[in-house]
Amino acid sequence: VELFDPLPADVSDPTNISAGGFVDPLPVAGVHWRLGDLPAGQRRTVTWQGIVAAGATVTTVISNTATVEDGTGNRVSARVDTVVLQPRLNISAYARETAGPGELVEYTLRVTNTGQTALSELVVTDRLPDYLSLAEPGAATVNGDRLAWAVGALAVGQSRVLTWSARVDFDMPVDVTQVRNRAAAAAAPALRTEAVARTAIVRPALTLVKVAD
């Protein structure tokens, strides 16, 4: 008895092949087992794993058809379909709309798993904008002007909210009219997204008018 399972489209790198199996590149790439004799009523189960292509979309259905045959010409096939689940990650960044020199700006970052699979190794990073001084890092790890949060796993539909704050420098140049903060989130498998929060800089104005009679 021999069993051959060709690699479906959008699947590659067969691994964890059960005992006796091997990758057979010809005539079609797949996994091959020579099972030998199989007495009446006996059952054999074989398994392998492959990697879904990064280009597979949520609408992709992976069809896999394996074929087994014996030495007398009997041949039977079986098919299984697998729907590809799409991972997605979203990050939003919020800050006050306006701030003046010496005032505090609080940043709120929200990361959400908007996909169909659990995420792992999620890390959120942010950078202290120019002309702002760190006031409160929250739960972030700080390295120079960089802030990072090792969030880890994030289940489907789950969100995490992260906050930190900074103070606008008094000596900010007068030609700086806006502060931009860009935060990023990255997670396995190979996901990355960014968000920007903008704060307009306002300054007190004082006018003195002197007139003489």
Side-chain angles (χ1 to χ4, degrees):
V1 175
E2 293 193 25
L3 187 151
F4 181 68
D5 196 2
L7 267 64
D10 294 311
V11 176
S12 62
D13 301 325
T15 58
N16 295 329
I17 301 170
S18 57
F22 59 94
V23 177
D24 193 350
L26 297 173
V28 178
V31 185
H32 197 156
W33 287 267
R34 294 189 176 97
L35 303 176
D37 294 336
L38 194 64
Q42 188 176 3
R43 175 183 298 179
R44 284 284 304 275
T45 300
V46 295
T47 61
W48 65 278
Q49 295 177 348
I51 297 176
V52 178
T57 67
V58 69
T59 58
T60 299
V61 176
I62 297 174
S63 296
N64 174 252
T65 301
T67 301
V68 62
E69 60 182 72
D70 61 18
T72 65
N74 292 319
R75 182 184 178 99
V76 180
S77 297
R79 168 175 163 166
V80 63
D81 293 331
T82 301
V83 178
V84 175
L85 299 179
Q86 190 74 17
R88 290 192 181 94
L89 176 63
N90 177 264
I91 182 171
S92 302
Y94 306 93
R96 59 186 295 180
E97 292 184 358
T98 62
E103 293 186 335
L104 197 67
V105 179
E106 181 174 275
Y107 291 99
T108 300
L109 312 177
R110 178 186 293 272
V111 286
T112 304
N113 181 349
T114 56
Q116 299 171 305
T117 63
L119 301 177
S120 62
E121 303 175 29
L122 173 59
V123 175
V124 177
T125 56
D126 207 344
R127 178 183 175 276
L128 183 67
D130 294 339
Y131 309 115
L132 266 66
S133 299
L134 184 63
E136 174 53 57
T141 298
V142 181
N143 183 9
D145 62 352
R146 305 284 177 172
L147 296 90
W149 295 262
V151 177
L154 200 64
V156 174
Q158 187 178 7
S159 296
R160 284 286 301 274
V161 177
L162 312 168
T163 59
W164 65 281
S165 61
R167 193 172 297 278
V168 181
D169 293 345
F170 281 102
D171 58 354
M172 172 181 286
V174 295
D175 59 344
V176 177
T177 59
Q178 185 185 79
V179 171
R180 290 181 40 162
N181 173 254
R182 184 182 299 273
L191 295 177
R192 180 178 170 82
T193 185
E194 295 184 347
V196 176
R198 296 175 174 85
T199 299
I201 300 302
V202 295
R203 293 175 173 81
L206 179 64
T207 301
L208 175 64
V209 178
K210 182 177 180 180
V211 296
D213 294 334

